[in-house]
Amino acid sequence: MKFTRDDILVALGVPKSVMTTDDTSYANAETGLRMFLSETIIPEMRQLCEVLNAFLVVPDFGEQYFLDFVNPTPSYRESLRLLAMMCVALF
C-alpha cells in the first residue's frame, strides 16, 4: 500500500498548510499552524508530561515537583515576550 503525502499528514494531525505552500495564503498557513499547535502538539505535550511526572518525578521527588511545558502558540509567546520587555524596562 502506498501512502500519499496528504494521507500521512492527516494520520499525524498536521494541516497541509503547515507543510506545503501549495495554494496556501499566509492567513491559511497561520490558522493551520494555530490549529496544529492547539489540537495536536499541546495534547501530546500534556500527555508526555503526565506520563513523565507519574513514572519519574513523583515517585522519586514527591508531588511538589513536576514537569510542565511552555505553551507554543504564537499569541502566548508574544505575551511572554511583552512581559519580558516590561520587566527589562523596569530595571
Side-chain angles (χ1 to χ4, degrees):
M1 175 181 235
K2 183 177 180 181
F3 293 103
T4 65
R5 172 191 65 197
D6 294 341
D7 294 333
I8 295 169
L9 292 176
V10 168
L12 296 175
V14 180
K16 185 178 176 183
S17 61
V18 172
M19 296 301 294
T20 67
T21 58
D22 302 340
D23 303 327
T24 302
S25 67
Y26 179 76
N28 289 345
E30 186 176 359
T31 301
L33 178 61
R34 287 181 191 273
M35 291 301 297
F36 175 60
L37 291 172
S38 66
E39 302 298 322
T40 303
I41 297 299
I42 291 175
E44 290 289 333
M45 291 172 73
R46 272 197 194 108
Q47 185 178 15
L48 177 63
C49 285
E50 288 174 9
V51 169
L52 289 173
N53 284 326
F55 289 104
L56 297 176
V57 179
V58 173
D60 291 337
F61 303 103
E63 292 190 15
Q64 69 269 23
Y65 297 106
F66 58 91
L67 297 175
D68 203 3
F69 63 94
V70 175
N71 189 333
T73 55
S75 58
Y76 186 78
R77 288 187 308 206
E78 180 64 18
S79 65
L80 285 180
R81 187 184 71 78
L82 292 174
L83 179 63
M85 288 175 54
M86 289 187 328
C87 290
V88 167
L90 291 174
F91 296 103

